[in-house]
Amino acid sequence: MLEDTRIVALVGPWQSGLTTLVRRVPVAGRRPSFNLDDEQFKRFARDDPVGFLRGRDAPAIDEVRRAPNLFRALKKAVDENPLPGRHLVAGSADLSSGAVSPDSLAGRVEVLELLPFSRAEVAAKRRPRFLDRTFERDPPSFAPTSPTGAGVDRVVAGGIPEVVSGALPERRSSWLRSYAQALALREIADLASVRKTDGPSRLVGHAARSAGQLLNLSALGAGLGLDGKPVDRLLGQMLLVRRIPAWHRNEAKRLVKSSKLRFLDAGLLAALRRATADVIARDRRRIGPLLECFVHS
């Protein structure tokens, strides 16, 4: 992308590895890197976005949404010098939202989502060919699973890098619930005017209970005192969940039918539902929604 696009934007959930990847991209290693979580850089970028970019040779900017005014300066910079690979930016929110980007970068930016690890990535394997083989009518064989064991553990572990790389199994649920609470306070409160202090956490918790069901935005917004549209925008900007359109043979009807809500990480959903491997062993019904989330992820 950096070879043919003026601005490349990496977006993904908090703790999905954005900062690590920005630092490791080979071309980023030859350019200055700035994280706008740093108060000094954030204030400079907000107060004088043109001056922040002046004299910096194609910088990589992490948490770019902390300085919304910077987008207009980026647009001006790449219009004046349209060479590809001018800027690499990253942020733990949907940069395409009007609430984050005050000016259009259409035709100037390409967005790449960095989501939690897939099982193939965790196992350091090549891209799986399950779907390819299935459509070729040569599906792989399956082994039966038990109510406990590695299969269930994979589902409840999810794919957030810090969890799968180091957290002890008995610590995962606690870590992920703390992660969800911190994310709610950090992201929602930063992206919207929230009147109730416990509203953000209640919104994420309610979303977890509603995962896999028909989406009711009004009910989700009750904890925040907001109507459906701001709630939909907030959840989308956090990149924790995704709306799955209804299936119908008539494409016009798909647009008007209720969609479903899917979490992007099964481990986070399991933690919010307090569904550990031990709990699932005692009540096998608890794994159904988690397994759907795991397959979707």
Side-chain angles (χ1 to χ4, degrees), residues 14-295:
W14 192 31
Q15 293 292 320
S16 63
L18 290 166
T19 299
T20 300
L21 183 57
V22 166
R23 290 173 178 171
R24 292 188 181 183
V25 171
V27 78
R30 299 194 298 271
R31 63 179 71 202
S33 178
F34 303 94
N35 190 320
L36 298 192
D37 272 339
D38 183 299
E39 188 63 31
Q40 180 180 357
F41 289 140
K42 181 178 73 174
R43 192 180 307 117
F44 186 10
R46 281 182 171 180
D47 294 345
D48 185 9
V50 175
F52 180 81
L53 294 177
R54 186 183 300 121
R56 303 191 190 279
D57 183 22
I61 306 171
D62 196 8
E63 290 299 348
V64 66
R65 70 180 182 84
R66 297 292 187 194
N69 290 341
L70 196 58
F71 284 92
R72 188 172 287 109
L74 283 169
K75 177 183 176 182
K76 182 175 184 292
V78 298
D79 283 349
E80 292 176 351
N81 183 354
L83 289 175
R86 286 294 312 282
H87 298 286
L88 174 66
V89 301
S92 53
D94 183 0
L95 300 182
S96 65
S97 167
V100 178
S101 175
D103 210 318
S104 172
L105 291 174
R108 303 169 180 87
V109 63
E110 188 165 358
V111 178
L112 176 65
E113 279 191 329
L114 184 69
L115 300 180
F117 287 148
S118 68
R119 286 309 308 174
E121 289 175 314
V122 172
K125 293 182 178 179
R126 292 178 297 176
R127 183 181 69 86
R129 295 192 65 250
F130 170 75
L131 289 178
D132 296 333
R133 291 183 59 181
T134 300
F135 281 106
E136 291 166 3
R137 299 189 179 186
D138 179 31
S141 59
F142 292 93
T145 61
S146 63
T148 60
V152 173
D153 193 56
R154 288 173 190 152
V155 172
V156 299
I160 294 177
E162 192 160 341
V163 174
V164 299
S165 65
L168 297 172
E170 59 270 22
R171 289 274 303 128
R172 288 174 186 162
S173 290
S174 176
W175 190 97
L176 285 164
R177 284 194 296 272
S178 295
Y179 163 89
Q181 183 176 17
L183 178 65
L185 295 173
R186 176 181 187 262
E187 302 294 340
I188 297 183
D190 189 53
L191 293 167
S193 176
V194 179
R195 291 185 289 274
K196 296 184 179 180
T197 56
D198 64 341
S201 296
R202 290 175 63 186
L203 174 59
V204 175
H206 200 136
R209 291 190 296 274
S210 303
Q213 301 175 15
L214 294 179
L215 183 59
N216 186 333
L217 290 170
S218 297
L220 285 175
L224 284 172
L226 298 173
D227 60 30
K229 288 185 179 179
V231 169
D232 190 24
R233 178 175 59 83
L234 290 172
L235 288 174
Q237 287 178 207
M238 282 197 301
L239 294 174
L240 284 182
V241 298
R242 181 159 291 162
R243 292 178 62 171
I244 306 300
W247 166 253
H248 199 282
R249 290 184 182 276
N250 185 320
E251 292 190 11
K253 289 187 177 181
R254 289 189 211 177
L255 300 176
V256 298
K257 286 182 173 289
S258 296
S259 56
K260 283 189 176 183
L261 193 68
R262 290 288 186 207
F263 267 67
L264 290 174
D265 184 71
L268 180 59
L269 179 60
L272 291 170
R273 289 190 168 207
R274 298 183 180 272
T276 63
D278 290 339
V279 169
I280 292 170
R282 295 192 298 269
D283 183 2
R284 188 67 169 174
R285 294 171 299 177
R286 298 287 294 275
I287 199 174
L290 305 180
L291 186 58
E292 288 186 354
C293 176
F294 178 80
V295 171

